[in-house]
Each structure stands twice: as C-alpha cells, then as structure tokens.
Amino acid sequence: MLYGNILTPRGWRLGTLEWRDGRIVAIGGEPVDPTTNAHPRLLPGFVDLHVHGGGGADAMEGGDAAATMARTHVRFGTTSLLVTTMTAPLPDIRQALRDIARTMDRPPAGAARLLGVHLEGPYLNPGKLGAQPPYAHPGAIADVEALMELAPIRLLTLAPELSGHAALIGQLRERGVRVQMGHTLGSYEEGVAGLEHGAHGFTHLFNAMTGLHHRKPGMVGAALAHADYAEIIPDLLHVHPGAIRTALRCIPHLFGVTDSTAAAGMPDGEYRLGEQHVTKCLGGVRLADGTLAGSTLTMDQALRNLVQIGLELDDASRRLSQYPADFLGEREIGRIEIGCRADVVVMDAHLEIDAVYVGGDQVHRGSSTPNVSTTPQAAGASQEKHRCR
C-alpha cells in the first residue's frame, strides 16, 4: 500500500493505492491538486517503445544485453519497454532476436518488463539513415514473418516510399504488428498514403524524415496534418521545444520515447550502437562526424523536460505511459486503474524518483523512502471504482 497524490486516468486523488498479486485492487482518497501538498506523486510506470541500449549494453550485442537494458532503465521509472534493433546484416539481426526472445522467456529480476521488439530497419530509405549502418533494403512479408518466428516483433519502422512497402504495411497490420514510418525521404502524399494503407504512426518525429515546407509539406507535414499517434524524443537536443509544442497542438496522442543507447545511465565515453562507434559527451551521443546517434535520455528526465517546456504533470505523464501503452494495444499497463498491473513510479515534488514498482514489487529505491504507511481512516476513504480498460 502506498499513500500520496495518485494520478489516475480521471485525475489526481490524494489517498491510498493498494495492490494484490501484482494488480491494483483499490484506489482511495479524494480529488486533489497535487501542487497543494508535499506528499509523493504516484505515477504510472513509464512505457518506452524505442530503446536501443542502456547500462553499457546494446541490443545488437545479443547475449544478456536486453536484461542489462531492462535493469538499467527501471532505475529511471521505465517499467515496460520494447528492445529496439538496428539496421544490420540479417544474420546479426537474427541472432539479436534469438537472444532477446531467450531473455523474455526468463525475465530478469529487478527489471523493466520486456514487451517485445521494435524492429527499426532494415526496411529504411538508404538516403535517410541518420546513424543507422548502410544495410537498408526493401522488405517483403515473407522476410518479416521469418524474423517474427525468432522473437515477438510488436512494432516495425519502415520507409513507406520503398517498392512493395504499401502492401507490406497492410500485411503487417493484419498480423498485429504496429507500423511506424521513419528514416524516410517520402513526400507528404506518400506519408498520407502510408496511413491509409494502415501505418499507425511515425518514428522519432522530425528526425530522419523529410521536413515541413509550405510548398512541400513532407513526411513531417503528413504527421502534423493526419497522425493520431507519433513518437518523439524529448531530450531537447533532437527536437527544439518549439517544434515539440507544435506537434503537441497537432497530434492528439504524441508520446515520448528515449531512443536511448548503451550510453544511457553511463558516464561520458565511447560506446556501441549496432556496429557503429559513438561518443557520449555533453548530454548527447554522436557519430564521429557529429551526427546525433540515439540519445542518453531516460524517461524520468523526459518527464522533467516536458514539464519544463510547459506541460502539466498529468499530461506529461500520460505521454510517457498511457499513450504509448494504448498505441501498442496494451491496456493493463501505463495507467493506475483497478485491475491493471501495479507498475508505479513514486516521485517527490521535484520529480525525482523515490521508488519504482513493477507488478507490485519494489525494484528500485531512491535516496529517500516513500511514505508506504496509511491509517484506517485513509484506507477507508472513498475508493475509485473504475477498472482497467
């Protein structure tokens, strides 16, 4: 049982949060403005759909890399994530997927939940690779199905303008794979067509795609004009705060991802991103030529960044928990609601982490201890009746 300012889908409540067998069973208390007290903020665990690495480990290394990533990011409030691969020779992708699946079969203790794989490439435009290695090529459903036999691919990024990809988008949707458009030189019209064929959103909006011009709206224009969902990297390096605010006005369910690399949670130095060598310095990760190569962002910092640029805490939280969970079709995570998994981030008034719970188990504890005690009067207060949906 925890006591504090609880963020539910229907607003803040000051009271008790109870769970049993890893699921929320009661939410007590009354509506509250959390800025009026110093009690902890109890937020839904963050859901990160774009994670290449962390703690010195890169997803493409295979082995125990996915476990290291999950243990690293849970310290920063991420309770569920997609392990994200890179464009690479197919044998390397296959081996990475086998090792990710092996880790998922034996979930690591004290770690974020692994929801599956985000396959970012190799079905990208060779002319818009960013920090991706030069192994991009068009895809076909048979190729993806072969990879899906190795690990659960939940999300796939592709360039919609490549030959055969219009049909591939629809085929992937039929198989329950979410499709995002990214690393693309596609036009506005090709972006709109991709959505019509069944694409669900856009990968790291603004980055590695054709930009907005008033006579050539580009892929960014298609997203701003038509998208319901898109991911964005709110590290304030990849995208200017003004551009983030523009996207917030246009895309109802814009959600944040870290696009983090092995350098996340680590000191400055040299790291790997797939087969690339990258350098962490001054809060960013870059190739030798200065190209941004993923990030060092963690989700707790993403939350603070979004609040810093003007979002209310509840809105910022939803964009790092409920919206990405909804995008992936996960209805039992990303929200504090009766029947949902007890994935909770406990933060102080300065939005620093006190504790992290995954399925009701405390897997990380900050420098201060959250108030886990309550009183019979508090426990008996009015309780939230809505259920996970």
Side-chain angles (χ1 to χ4, degrees), residues 30 60 71 88 129 135 156-157 159 169 257 265 276 355 358 383:
E30 302 294 339
M60 296 303 296
R71 291 191 185 101
L129 289 176
Y135 300 104
L156 187 148
T157 292
I169 290 171
V257 298
Q276 310 272 45
V358 178
Q383 293 187 336

Side-chain angles (χ1 to χ4, degrees), residues 24 46 50 53 60 73 78 95 117 120 130 156 160 183 200 207 211-212 219 233 268 278 280 283 322 325 332 357 388:
I24 296 167
F46 304 131
H50 195 145
M60 296 303 296
H73 284 281
T78 296
Q95 187 58 53
V117 174
E120 190 182 17
L156 187 148
H183 288 277
H200 301 82
N207 298 111
L212 175 69
M219 194 64 58
I233 308 170
D268 287 358
V278 298
K280 176 181 179 180
Q322 182 177 334
E332 296 183 347
Y357 295 80
C388 187

Side-chain angles (χ1 to χ4, degrees), residues 316-332:
S317 174
R318 280 192 294 272
R319 295 181 187 280
L320 302 175
S321 55
Q322 182 177 334
Y323 291 172
D326 288 349
F327 177 78
L328 205 61
E330 295 280 352
R331 302 298 179 181
E332 296 183 347

Side-chain angles (χ1 to χ4, degrees), residues 182-306:
H183 288 277
T184 169
L185 287 172
S187 65
Y188 168 88
E189 290 77 14
E190 287 166 327
V192 173
L195 292 172
E196 291 174 346
H197 283 108
H200 301 82
F202 296 79
T203 294
H204 42 53
L205 182 66
F206 295 108
N207 298 111
M209 63 180 61
T210 46
L212 175 69
H213 184 278
H214 60 287
R215 285 191 292 274
K216 293 179 67 176
M219 194 64 58
V220 169
L224 296 179
H226 299 281
D228 188 20
Y229 286 90
E231 63 168 58
I232 199 163
I233 308 170
D235 62 354
L236 309 186
L237 287 175
H238 279 77
V239 186
H240 188 281
I244 296 176
R245 294 190 65 85
T246 299
L248 287 166
R249 291 181 67 108
C250 296
I251 302 174
H253 299 104
L254 185 76
F255 62 90
V257 298
T258 63
D259 196 11
S260 60
T261 65
M266 299 293 286
D268 287 358
E270 303 295 320
Y271 297 93
R272 296 292 298 272
L273 179 59
E275 69 170 31
Q276 310 272 45
H277 292 274
V278 298
T279 301
K280 176 181 179 180
C281 184
L282 300 175
V285 183
R286 298 180 185 271
L287 299 178
D289 65 2
T291 300
L292 282 169
S295 84
T296 65
L297 185 64
T298 55
M299 288 294 254
D300 63 329
Q301 186 61 52
L303 181 78
R304 290 189 289 270
N305 288 348
L306 291 174

Side-chain angles (χ1 to χ4, degrees), residues 5 32-38 41:
N5 299 284
V32 69
D33 176 355
T35 64
T36 62
N37 65 72
R41 279 71 170 143

Side-chain angles (χ1 to χ4, degrees), residues 138-141 158-171:
I141 191 60
L158 55 71
E161 71 274 15
L162 298 189
S163 176
H165 281 194
L168 179 60
I169 290 171
Q171 292 163 337

